[in-house]
Amino acid sequence: MLPFFTDPYPDELIYSAIARYHFYSGNIDYKDTLEEVFQSRSVIPSVEIGSHFNALTQQIGNHYSVEKLLAKHTIYPFYAPFLSRKRQMEIIQDVQGNGKGLYTRLGMVAGSICKKDGLYYCRLCAEEDIKKYGEPYIHREHQLQGN
């Protein structure tokens, strides 16, 4: 278990919280952060949703669950209403492990959703975050595809 973790802010992507952890941990090599957070140097970070949540929740503490992280710190809730219950359960399984097939299940690979490149932020939100929390963070709604 990690000695500390940068608890995600409201509506913050888990990707952003891990990036803040990387900064505050003093790690220089991002692979060191991946090993600390996921117990693996070969995890490929994903902005929108992610994977290896079982390992992640074990490392960051008992007050986190896979379901809570998925619901509050990924874009999954924006897609879930359009998915069958079976598909939702498959996605929960995907994020617990290596995430293979995750984006196909969401329909993102088929090209039906316009794909943004890079990370997006709102200047006003960043200013408000700095006032409220002392630092900005990556909001999940700014990363939604197709808008």
Side-chain angles (χ1 to χ4, degrees):
M1 185 187 271
L2 295 173
F4 79 94
F5 187 70
T6 46
D7 290 327
Y9 293 121
D11 203 47
E12 180 179 21
L13 284 174
I14 192 63
Y15 181 91
S16 174
I18 293 169
R20 289 187 306 102
Y21 170 80
H22 175 76
F23 175 78
Y24 289 120
S25 71
N27 289 340
I28 295 169
D29 187 340
Y30 75 90
K31 294 266 186 190
D32 292 338
T33 298
L34 293 176
E35 187 168 353
E36 289 173 11
V37 174
F38 295 107
Q39 297 293 287
S40 172
R41 297 178 75 78
S42 62
V43 170
I44 299 171
S46 171
V47 172
E48 295 97 348
I49 296 187
S51 62
H52 297 88
F53 276 25
N54 276 345
L56 176 63
T57 56
Q58 289 174 6
Q59 289 303 104
I60 63 177
N62 294 336
H63 59 285
Y64 292 100
S65 68
V66 170
E67 293 79 9
K68 181 179 177 183
L69 289 177
L70 192 60
K72 297 192 177 288
H73 302 291
T74 73
I75 63 164
Y76 172 74
F78 299 95
Y79 290 84
F82 305 102
L83 302 171
S84 68
R85 184 71 182 137
K86 178 180 184 257
R87 183 66 47 101
Q88 291 174 13
M89 297 308 295
E90 290 170 344
I91 289 170
I92 290 170
Q93 296 256 316
D94 289 341
V95 300
Q96 288 176 4
N98 64 18
K100 288 186 178 169
L102 175 63
Y103 289 96
T104 302
R105 291 187 209 284
L106 285 171
M108 295 175 100
V109 175
S112 60
I113 299 173
C114 299
K115 181 79 169 124
K116 286 182 174 178
D117 290 324
L119 294 170
Y120 288 77
Y121 75 98
C122 163
R123 181 181 56 81
L124 297 175
C125 292
E127 289 171 1
E128 187 175 314
D129 294 343
I130 291 168
K131 285 179 190 170
K132 191 170 186 176
Y133 301 108
E135 63 186 344
Y137 60 91
I138 301 169
H139 292 254
R140 61 186 180 165
E141 72 267 12
H142 298 144
Q143 312 315 311
L144 293 175
Q145 304 299 327
N147 65 5

